[in-house]
Structure formats: structure tokens, C-alpha cells
Amino acid sequence: MVLVNATEVDLEGPMTLDAVLRAQGMLRSGTAVAVGSVVVPRSQWSTVEVHDGDVIEVLTASAGG
């Protein structure tokens, strides 16, 4: 189990960060992601493995004021 924006998500075996984001419908442009307190560059999402207990924060840019 990991936390994605404070929501518990069960892992279906070993998963990469982009697989977790895709499964949660969060894989889109304008998104920044941190695992723990470390921001993960988008170019590394497909190689970073997510582990039980990880805390993932997903931020999405939005236009407006």
C-alpha cells in the first residue's frame, strides 16, 4: 500500500511511478510528482519503482487566478 495524495492505494505487485499514476488517472501534462520529499523528473517516472509505504504527492498546474 502507498499513499497518493493522502489516499491509500494497493499495489498490484512491483510497479513503476508512471504505472501508479496511470492506474489512478493522474498521468497527464502539467503534473509534478514527489515520492517522499524528493521531486521525481518526468523523464524518470518509467524507471522509478514504487514501494509499500511510499508517500506520493501529485500536483497539477491549472490556469486561472
Side-chain angles (χ1 to χ4, degrees):
M1 189 267 312
V2 297
L3 289 177
V4 179
N5 288 355
T7 301
E8 292 183 358
V9 175
D10 288 321
L11 298 178
E12 300 174 10
M15 296 180 78
T16 60
L17 183 56
D18 67 343
V20 172
L21 297 174
R22 184 175 293 111
Q24 297 303 304
M26 297 178 160
L27 191 61
R28 58 190 133 195
S29 63
T31 301
V33 179
V35 177
S37 61
V38 178
V39 174
V40 180
R42 189 178 194 98
S43 62
Q44 295 177 13
W45 291 2
S46 63
T47 59
V48 171
E49 289 188 17
V50 176
H51 304 282
D52 280 336
D54 280 346
V55 177
I56 301 168
E57 294 293 329
V58 181
L59 302 170
T60 303
S62 60

